[in-house]
């Protein structure tokens, strides 16, 4: 088991990453807190060695996405969210960023991960394929369709 | 909009300090704390409770279904020599009840522990028991009748039993589930009821009440007598010697063919 200081340090480094992925998938703070617990509990108990910071980051991202998927599939998860809970969940961002985030979050779930990983984390299609367990060409297709949908919502994405 | 807008929008999302502090505290309690109780989130507690409740309900349902499934009679195997008894079989081929239909049958049913045995093993134990063997003589053969709602299952039981030593395929019959039910309502095993109804078919004037208490050997003699009588009424090349113990010519019976219309066989005395 990893030391508490290692876990706290890792949480300080990657908490925002986990939070953003939770925002992409989940809609209430209780679920987000559960995911945080799951991810960093797994990290604390994970005995493998990371080759680099990038490797560690990719591991955290993969574990977070899988935990979110598991939670969404869970039969026992509450399907309803109180309105006040929803407003509390929204991160404090500018109006323009809010508009962009709303457009991204309105995409079907299969596109949200690739948009986040490609446009924010800067991963290539091949790297996203490795993280999500999908073929590179599938990732390209998902990105192209996501771009089209965002074009409709926001007027296109310029390089 | 450009890619930078997406990056900037995500950039502005940060983890609330309260969330980090809460998770760190919970991890500390769970993994590194010595005395603090385990602290889990409300959602996790709720989920945990629901999971336990659902698991409990599923266990109850499985238990109830399993119990009902195990204790429901799927077939009956009637064994008649003169002792008359019946084994109730569930869908898993286990004996779930043994009933004696006369005093000797009840005595044997009470003396052997056949419950929860596979029916083939149970019949083996019965045939090996001294209580049954003393009844098996040249004149008293074992007659088995099988009744099930599923005729295929009944046929399978017959096939499995006919492979056992001491049981002749000619002495194994099937009868319908309705006949079994009628037999039980009349207070007799379905095998005995089958013989009685056959005798009644041969001789409609016979009342089942008149003959239901006769020993099986005597019922068999009556069947043989009916068979002989029948042969007398068939064309001359089939004529056989008469003089049977049971003469049904007085009843005006035309001597129709002895027919097991439940898929059984002619009884063949050994």
């Amino acid at each position: 088991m990893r030391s508490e200081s290692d876990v706290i340090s890792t949480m300080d480094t990657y908490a925002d990453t986990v939070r953003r992925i939770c925002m992409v998938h989940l809609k209430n703070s209780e679920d987000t807190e559960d995911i945080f617990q799951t991810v960093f509990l797994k990290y604390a108990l994970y005995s493998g060695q990371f080759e680099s910071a990038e490797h560690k980051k990719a591991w955290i991202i993969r574990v977070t996405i899988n935990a979110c998927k598991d939670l969404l599939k869970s039969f026992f998860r509450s399907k309803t969210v109180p309105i006040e809970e929803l407003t509390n969940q929204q991160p404090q961002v500018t109006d323009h960023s809010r508009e962009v985030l709303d457009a991204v979050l309105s995409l079907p779930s299969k596109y949200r991960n690739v948009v986040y990983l490609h446009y924010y984390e800067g991963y290539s299609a091949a790297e996203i394929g490795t993280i999500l367990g999908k073929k590179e060409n599938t990732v390209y297709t998902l990105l192209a369709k996501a771009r089209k949908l965002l074009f409709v919502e926001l007027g296109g994405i310029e390089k | 909009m450009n890619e930078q807008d997406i990056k900037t929008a995500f950039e502005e999302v940060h983890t609330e300090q309260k969330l980090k502090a809460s998770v760190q505290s919970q991890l500390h309690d769970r993994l590194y704390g010595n005395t603090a109780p385990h602290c889990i989130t409300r959602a996790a507690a709720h989920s945990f409770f629901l999971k336990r409740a659902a698991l409990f309900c599923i266990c109850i349902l499985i238990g109830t279904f399993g119990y009902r499934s195990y204790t429901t009679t799927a077939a009956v195997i009637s064994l008649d020599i003169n002792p008359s008894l019946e084994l109730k079989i569930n869908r898993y081929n286990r004996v779930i009840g043994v009933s004696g239909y006369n005093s000797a049958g009840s005595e044997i049913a009470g003396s052997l522990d056949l419950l929860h045995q596979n029916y083939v093993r149970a019949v083996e134990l019965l045939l090996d028991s001294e209580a049954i063997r003393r009844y098996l003589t040249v004149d008293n053969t074992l007659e088995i009748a099988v009744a099930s709602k599923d005729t295929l299952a009944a046929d399978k039981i017959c096939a499995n039993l006919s492979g056992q030593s001491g049981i002749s395929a000619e002495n194994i019959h099937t009868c319908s589930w309705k006949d079994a039910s009628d037999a039980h309502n009349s207070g007799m095993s379905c095998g005995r009821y089958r013989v009685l109804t056959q005798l009644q078919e041969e001789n409609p004037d016979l009342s089942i009440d008149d003959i239901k208490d006769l020993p099986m050997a005597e019922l068999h003699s009556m069947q043989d007598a009916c068979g002989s009588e029948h042969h007398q009424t068939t064309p001359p090349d089939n004529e056989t010697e008469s003089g049977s113990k049971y003469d049904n010519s007085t009843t005006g019976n035309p001597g129709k063919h002895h027919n097991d219309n439940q898929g059984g066989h002619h009884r063949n005395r050994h």
Side-chain angles (χ1 to χ4, degrees), chain A residues 2 4 7 12 15-16 19-20 30 33-34 37 76 93-94 97 119-120 154 156-159, chain B residues 1-3 5 7 10-16 20 22 24 26 28 30-32 41-42 51:
Chain A
R2 293 173 190 277
E4 190 171 9
V7 174
D12 286 339
D16 288 347
R19 176 70 182 85
R20 287 169 192 133
E30 285 172 352
E33 193 169 329
D34 278 351
Q37 276 198 51
F76 299 100
V93 294
T94 61
S97 293
Y119 291 113
Y120 179 73
L154 301 166
I157 299 173
E158 297 156 11
K159 287 274 179 185
Chain B
M1 194 196 86
N2 56 35
E3 287 183 13
D5 288 337
K7 199 169 173 66
F10 275 112
E11 195 91 77
E12 290 179 25
V13 177
H14 297 288
T15 309
E16 300 80 358
K20 267 166 63 173
S22 165
Q24 280 177 10
Q26 284 157 23
H28 173 82
R30 217 161 156 181
L31 298 175
Y32 306 104
T41 62
R42 190 166 56 85
K51 279 179 187 171

Side-chain angles (χ1 to χ4, degrees), chain B:
Chain B
M1 194 196 86
N2 56 35
E3 287 183 13
Q4 189 57 42
D5 288 337
I6 297 179
K7 199 169 173 66
T8 307
F10 275 112
E11 195 91 77
E12 290 179 25
V13 177
H14 297 288
T15 309
E16 300 80 358
Q17 282 306 316
K18 194 178 143 192
L19 172 62
K20 267 166 63 173
S22 165
V23 173
Q24 280 177 10
S25 157
Q26 284 157 23
L27 286 176
H28 173 82
D29 291 343
R30 217 161 156 181
L31 298 175
Y32 306 104
N34 292 326
T35 55
H38 282 210
C39 179
I40 54 175
T41 62
R42 190 166 56 85
H46 187 60
S47 169
F48 179 78
F49 172 76
L50 279 176
K51 279 179 187 171
R52 286 295 165 100
L55 192 65
F56 179 73
C57 289
I58 289 168
C59 288
I60 293 287
L61 278 176
I62 290 172
T64 307
F65 175 77
Y67 177 79
R68 284 182 64 92
S69 165
Y70 190 86
T71 55
T72 301
T73 305
V76 291
I77 300 175
S78 155
L79 299 106
D80 297 278
I81 309 172
N82 191 37
S84 179
L85 67 156
E86 237 178 42
L87 306 178
K88 290 186 174 67
I89 311 297
N90 66 12
R91 67 174 66 184
Y92 308 107
N93 297 329
R94 297 279 158 180
V95 177
I96 53 169
V98 186
S99 311
Y101 282 97
N102 54 20
S103 55
S106 299
E107 192 183 322
I108 293 168
S111 67
L112 292 171
D113 184 16
L114 303 175
L115 286 179
H116 313 300
Q117 304 267 10
N118 180 283
Y119 66 85
V120 176
R121 175 71 185 140
V123 171
E124 268 178 11
L125 285 173
L126 264 171
L127 296 184
D128 287 346
S129 71
E130 185 57 38
I132 281 281
R133 278 207 302 226
R134 65 193 162 102
Y135 286 100
L136 288 170
T137 62
V138 176
D139 291 330
N140 287 318
T141 53
L142 171 67
E143 183 149 321
I144 293 179
V146 178
S148 171
K149 284 177 187 169
D150 179 1
T151 51
L152 285 177
D155 290 342
K156 194 176 172 189
I157 291 171
C158 288
N160 288 340
L161 289 178
S162 67
Q164 300 307 305
S165 63
I167 303 174
S168 164
E170 288 83 3
N171 289 348
I172 303 179
H173 312 270
T174 56
C175 61
S176 71
W177 192 249
K178 184 184 172 303
D179 282 352
S181 174
D182 290 345
H184 299 157
N185 290 337
S186 306
M188 65 183 87
S189 70
C190 57
R192 191 177 179 81
Y193 186 78
R194 194 189 69 83
V195 174
L196 296 185
T197 49
Q198 279 182 354
L199 278 170
Q200 203 181 29
E201 276 176 24
E202 298 284 349
N203 189 343
D205 290 346
L206 270 180
S207 157
I208 285 184
D209 286 337
D210 293 342
I211 55 174
K212 73 177 186 181
D213 294 324
L214 295 178
M216 280 302 279
E218 199 162 333
L219 294 176
H220 290 157
S221 301
M222 289 167 78
Q223 273 191 312
D224 289 345
C226 282
S228 300
E229 189 63 23
H230 158 70
H231 288 305
Q232 282 181 343
T233 59
T234 51
D237 56 332
N238 286 339
E239 199 168 313
T240 56
E241 186 183 309
S242 68
S244 61
K245 183 179 174 184
Y246 174 66
D247 182 1
N248 68 355
S249 62
T250 56
T251 65
N253 185 1
K256 62 184 176 177
H257 276 281
H258 176 88
N259 180 27
D260 182 1
N261 58 3
Q262 280 85 33
H265 314 274
H266 262 296
R267 189 178 56 78
N268 184 12
R269 301 290 302 279
H270 293 276

Side-chain angles (χ1 to χ4, degrees), chain A residues 121-133:
Chain A
E121 297 290 353
Y123 283 118
S124 68
E127 288 167 330
I128 294 172
T130 308
I131 290 172
L132 298 180

